[in-house]
Amino acid sequence: MTDKPDKDARPAPDEILGRIKKEEGKAQRGRLKIFFGSSAGVGKTYSMLSAAHELLKEEVDVLVGIVETHQRPHTEELLKNLPALEPLHIFYQGLMLHELDLNAALKRKPDVILIDELAHTNAAGCRHPKRWNDVMELLDAGIDVYTTLNVQHIESLSDIVAGTTGIWVKESIPDSVFDMADDIVLVDIDSDDLLRRLHEGNVYIAAGANKRAADNFFKRENLNALREIALRRTAQRVNADHDDPTRLPVADRLLVCVKADAVSAKLIRATKRLATALNAPWLAVTVEQTIPDLNEPPDESRRILATLDRMVNRLGGRLVTLRGDNVVDEILSYARQNGITKLVVGKSRQLTLTNILKGFPVNRIVNASGSIDVLVITEEPSKLESKTITKPLRNLRPFPYLLVAVIIAALTLPSLALPGVITRTDQALLYLTGIVVVAENIGLGPSLFYALGAASTFHFFFATRVMVHETDERTYIMTFLMMLVTGWAIASQSSRLKAQAVNARDKEMRTQALYELTRKLTATRGRFPVAEVVATYLSRLHTAETTVWMTNMEGHPAVVLGTIPDESYYKDFGALQWCFENAKNAGLGTTTMPSATGFYMPLITASGTLGVLGVFPKQTERIFTLDEITSMETIAGLLASALERVQAGEIAARAAVEKENEKLRLALISSFEEKKGKKKPVTQPQPHQENQTDRILTSIEKLFTQKNIGIG
């Protein structure tokens, strides 16, 4: 008996079509080749230039985009006979810097371009802040790129390298860029040989540089550790290339818990390394509590979370924001709903009142995790790393606390002035009433300060007066503690209710505004009216000005509403044009022309990019948060749909006009042919015998003849 082929095992047509499109996209995209090494001086640039000479022998169009020789004689000798692009000269802080001329490279469009030091940070004024962003654009243009990279510049390995060498490297590339490379060439050299090259002056040429390097980074134990890290990372990449594409997907799914602090960066990198080793997808989650952290203003928390979100995206993950009061329950609920198998959490050593009363969050997660594996990482960020994601020193705002002191004094004076009218019990109730007012109108921090101040004032002015024996003293000590605890409970609950009310009101306002925007866009006709509706909405919700651009008859973006600021016109127009051509966000807060004044979003429809929406914050130094960007992208989608409908109406109107013109043209042609086909009598008719129609047709015919307009 023969086994029949399983029909269900055949790939679906959509899957086949997806594979074909994927292969076509790969064919059109350039190839990335990385010469990878453990440290400077191992010969990465030399190997890249040697490979370029081999390509020249094969008559491949090779171009040097930007190469740093560091005045090494052998490297400079190899560079002499290679065609090179003139670098972009930028004068910055008294120095002349040389950067890659990206526009010239795209215009020249060689087969292969050499871009040294992939993790390099571009000078201010370049299109992208990082050189790897330039490389991505070159690859998208179909140009092959050869580049160099050290292991310490891979983002997920930066904390390991810092812990090994004691030196924190600020410049880094996302792991996704390294993983997407088509070829990885490991350039390796023995540590003793590298140290010998350093002492011979073949690594650094500047005076004193060799000694500084030998005393700091170039130590034998450091070089051996870096070689091991580089070999391991290369081996992981080789294993990933040889994975069987037909095997079943991995079952592991990782989730890392983060919050607005510098420690979360360490947790994210550790999760990325673990996900790479397990070949598993991963997510990051943060919980936004209804009562904000007293030590962290909401704006500062959003700024840090925005930084972490960009980091998660660079490393190939996604940050999810949950909302709730019980952090542990929210995290575990999300993990179970999304099939998470491994949970990465940080072990905090901070002793707080909440941790004392409820227990440390990591312990509660472990106890309630069930079948989910929990990996605990100690929250000890590197001192060098803490400088990269910092919480700037904030001045204490004393006014709310001074106001609380005034309120306590105001509630105390009547009892001191009228001791026989207001009893101690009345005074205690008066203090408790005051804490509700403070918690409702001032905030949680001042409320806790009020609770401590009111309890202390009550104990000092009213309790100690009547302490005649030890029993009274113990009683009023209990009264002091109960007032303090009761005040703290009232303040916490009042602040929680207030925060929930504010969140509900904000959510309702956004939902209502979005509904109104959708309704208005549905009922609005015309390019300018539609753009004006969106501009009004954005100005009200995000305190920003708006400019809208839409394609004209030639397919180029033309302004519909608003203007670009004169002082940054060229930067902003360049960001706008790049956004339109690449269908990606650009400008303020992005990796493309971040020095621009505006934030630009493409208006994408099913038929392509229809235009660009630009948003300019009225506060010049403001960076939009993740929630604001998500909201604006939603608005951009609604605007794109509305403008697409307007454009379809314009096309239909033009088609109707052309149809009427065609009817008129055919009617005229028919009339002329009918006139010319009539049989003329032998005797010419008198002018007065011609009817009115013939005279009109004759006049039109003469007019068409004078204007050289062909008929028929």
Side-chain angles (χ1 to χ4, degrees):
M1 182 176 178
T2 59
D3 295 334
K4 294 183 179 180
D6 187 4
K7 294 183 179 180
D8 295 335
R10 294 180 298 179
D14 292 340
E15 183 180 351
I16 297 175
L17 182 61
R19 291 179 184 176
I20 294 174
K21 290 183 177 179
K22 186 176 181 180
E23 293 299 326
E24 290 178 350
K26 287 184 177 179
Q28 295 174 359
R29 183 180 173 86
R31 294 177 60 84
L32 177 61
K33 187 171 186 176
I34 297 179
F35 292 83
F36 185 54
S38 58
S39 66
V42 298
K44 302 181 300 299
T45 304
Y46 188 90
S47 299
M48 180 178 68
L49 294 176
S50 300
H53 279 281
E54 295 296 326
L55 292 177
L56 277 181
K57 294 178 182 178
E58 300 174 4
E59 298 183 352
V60 177
D61 184 13
V62 180
L63 180 68
V64 175
I66 190 77
V67 168
E68 303 290 345
T69 64
H70 299 289
Q71 300 179 1
R72 297 165 186 163
H74 299 294
T75 306
E76 291 182 341
E77 187 66 26
L78 277 178
L79 191 60
K80 286 182 180 178
N81 299 323
L82 291 174
L85 193 68
E86 181 68 21
L88 189 65
H89 304 288
I90 298 177
F91 190 76
Y92 180 72
Q93 293 185 353
L95 298 175
M96 183 61 70
L97 304 178
H98 307 286
E99 300 291 353
L100 171 68
D101 192 340
L102 182 58
N103 289 330
L106 292 171
K107 184 178 181 180
R108 170 71 166 73
K109 199 170 185 181
D111 294 333
V112 179
I113 188 169
L114 310 183
I115 308 292
D116 203 11
E117 297 184 1
L118 184 60
H120 171 77
T121 300
N122 291 332
C126 294
R127 180 182 303 176
H128 300 293
K130 297 289 187 178
R131 187 167 287 173
W132 65 265
N133 297 124
D134 298 334
V135 169
M136 292 297 103
E137 189 163 348
L138 291 168
L139 294 173
D140 290 337
I143 303 173
D144 294 348
V145 178
Y146 283 15
T147 187
T148 62
L149 179 70
N150 288 332
V151 66
Q152 63 263 32
H153 295 299
I154 297 181
E155 190 164 9
S156 68
L157 301 177
S158 56
D159 56 345
I160 294 181
V161 173
T164 302
T165 64
I167 298 175
W168 184 263
V169 179
K170 294 183 179 179
E171 292 181 329
S172 62
I173 69 164
D175 287 52
S176 58
V177 177
F178 182 82
D179 293 333
M180 70 172 289
D182 300 278
D183 298 299
I184 301 292
V185 178
L186 179 63
V187 183
D188 190 32
I189 186 174
D190 185 73
S191 300
D192 293 332
D193 293 336
L194 181 57
L195 289 174
R196 185 176 64 254
R197 290 193 61 193
L198 176 69
H199 293 306
E200 291 174 353
N202 293 323
V203 177
Y204 296 112
I205 306 299
N210 292 331
K211 187 178 185 307
R212 289 194 301 271
D215 293 340
N216 295 282
F217 192 83
F218 279 77
K219 296 179 180 179
R220 182 174 282 100
E221 56 271 21
N222 288 349
L223 297 178
N224 289 333
L226 290 173
R227 286 188 68 200
E228 180 182 356
I229 297 172
L231 290 169
R232 287 180 180 274
R233 190 64 180 88
T234 306
Q236 289 177 353
R237 171 57 201 269
V238 172
N239 291 335
D241 287 341
H242 289 83
D243 281 343
D244 184 3
T246 61
R247 72 176 186 176
L248 294 176
V250 294
D252 281 322
R253 289 176 60 87
L254 277 67
L255 182 69
V256 56
C257 307
V258 301
K259 56 184 178 180
D261 58 11
V263 179
S264 296
K266 176 183 178 181
L267 300 180
I268 290 170
R269 283 190 290 268
T271 305
K272 169 60 182 176
R273 293 194 297 269
L274 182 60
T276 301
L278 296 175
N279 193 23
W282 65 283
L283 298 170
V285 63
T286 182
V287 180
E288 181 179 309
Q289 295 178 273
T290 54
I291 297 183
D293 187 357
L294 293 177
N295 299 320
E296 193 65 54
D299 293 340
E300 182 63 19
S301 296
R302 286 193 290 266
R303 186 191 69 83
I304 297 176
L305 286 175
T307 302
L308 294 175
D309 179 71
R310 289 190 291 269
M311 180 182 181
V312 170
N313 289 332
R314 289 196 306 268
L315 295 177
R318 181 168 60 92
L319 179 63
V320 179
T321 301
L322 307 177
R323 289 176 174 83
D325 292 330
N326 194 317
V327 176
V328 174
D329 289 347
E330 295 294 336
I331 291 174
L332 292 177
S333 176
Y334 181 85
R336 293 188 180 99
Q337 292 174 3
N338 292 271
I340 300 299
T341 59
K342 294 184 182 341
L343 194 62
V344 181
V345 297
K347 180 182 178 181
S348 175
R349 296 182 177 181
Q350 185 178 7
L351 192 63
T352 62
L353 180 61
T354 303
N355 292 339
I356 294 174
L357 296 177
K358 296 183 178 180
F360 286 93
V362 62
N363 296 333
R364 288 184 283 153
I365 289 176
V366 171
N367 294 334
S369 61
S371 60
I372 301 176
D373 296 335
V374 180
L375 290 87
V376 182
I377 298 177
T378 304
E379 294 186 352
E380 290 182 352
S382 169
K383 294 181 180 179
L384 295 166
E385 177 186 5
S386 62
K387 298 179 181 178
T388 62
I389 301 179
T390 59
K391 303 176 183 180
L393 184 63
R394 298 175 295 274
N395 295 325
L396 180 65
R397 294 176 294 176
F399 178 75
Y401 297 91
L402 292 176
L403 181 59
V404 167
V406 171
I407 293 174
I408 294 175
L411 295 176
T412 305
L413 289 176
S415 298
L416 295 177
L418 303 172
V421 178
I422 300 178
T423 64
R424 289 185 299 275
T425 304
D426 297 333
Q427 184 63 42
L429 294 175
L430 191 60
Y431 280 145
L432 293 178
T433 304
I435 199 171
V436 176
V437 176
V438 172
E440 181 68 23
N441 296 279
I442 301 181
L444 179 59
S447 301
L448 299 180
F449 176 74
Y450 176 92
L452 179 61
S456 301
T457 304
F458 180 82
H459 181 74
F460 181 78
F461 284 103
F462 302 102
T464 56
R465 288 183 179 182
V466 294
M467 289 182 185
V468 292
H469 50 77
E470 187 178 354
T471 305
D472 290 332
E473 183 178 358
R474 289 197 301 267
T475 300
Y476 284 105
I477 289 176
M478 290 301 300
T479 303
F480 169 78
L481 295 176
M482 292 184 66
M483 280 193 65
L484 184 61
V485 172
T486 304
W488 176 80
I490 293 175
S492 299
Q493 293 300 324
S494 298
S495 298
R496 178 178 286 108
L497 292 175
K498 181 181 178 181
Q500 290 176 345
V502 171
N503 291 336
R505 184 172 64 249
D506 292 343
K507 184 177 180 181
E508 183 180 0
M509 182 189 69
R510 290 194 296 267
T511 304
Q512 182 66 24
L514 193 60
Y515 169 75
E516 292 177 0
L517 175 64
T518 306
R519 182 172 54 83
K520 289 182 179 179
L521 287 178
T522 304
T524 305
R525 298 291 182 269
R527 298 187 178 198
F528 180 78
V530 166
E532 194 173 29
V533 168
V534 171
T536 302
Y537 175 81
L538 285 172
S539 177
R540 183 181 66 183
L541 191 63
H542 299 293
T543 317
E545 298 179 354
T546 303
T547 178
V548 178
W549 296 65
M550 185 178 175
T551 51
N552 53 21
M553 296 294 294
E554 290 77 22
H556 301 297
V559 65
V560 177
L561 174 71
T563 57
I564 293 178
D566 294 335
E567 61 273 11
S568 62
Y569 179 83
Y570 293 104
K571 289 182 180 179
D572 279 83
F573 187 78
L576 183 149
Q577 190 70 28
W578 191 92
C579 173
F580 177 77
E581 293 174 354
N582 295 272
K584 297 178 181 178
N585 294 344
L588 182 68
T590 68
T591 57
T592 303
M593 298 186 182
S595 58
T597 307
F599 172 64
Y600 297 92
M601 295 165 286
L603 303 178
I604 302 175
T605 63
S607 57
T609 304
L610 187 63
V612 175
L613 172 64
V615 183
F616 301 83
K618 293 183 179 179
Q619 298 176 356
T620 54
E621 298 182 355
R622 176 186 172 191
I623 300 296
F624 293 116
T625 63
L626 299 177
D627 290 339
E628 290 174 328
I629 291 175
T630 302
S631 173
M632 289 187 291
E633 288 178 341
T634 303
I635 297 169
L638 294 175
L639 177 60
S641 300
L643 290 179
E644 185 179 32
R645 186 180 67 252
V646 170
Q647 189 181 62
E650 293 173 349
I651 294 174
R654 285 198 300 267
V657 172
E658 291 175 359
K659 185 176 181 180
E660 292 298 325
N661 291 339
E662 182 67 16
K663 286 183 179 180
L664 178 59
R665 191 179 71 86
L666 294 175
L668 290 173
I669 293 173
S670 177
S671 300
F672 284 128
E673 290 178 349
E674 183 179 351
K675 175 186 176 184
K676 292 179 179 181
K678 289 182 179 180
K679 292 183 179 181
K680 299 181 179 179
V682 178
T683 59
Q684 294 294 332
Q686 298 297 322
H688 66 273
Q689 293 176 339
E690 295 181 356
N691 58 39
Q692 187 177 5
T693 303
D694 290 338
R695 289 198 302 272
I696 294 174
L697 292 175
T698 302
S699 300
I700 294 176
E701 184 178 10
K702 289 180 179 179
L703 179 63
F704 275 44
T705 303
Q706 292 173 0
K707 299 295 184 182
N708 295 324
I709 299 176
I711 301 178

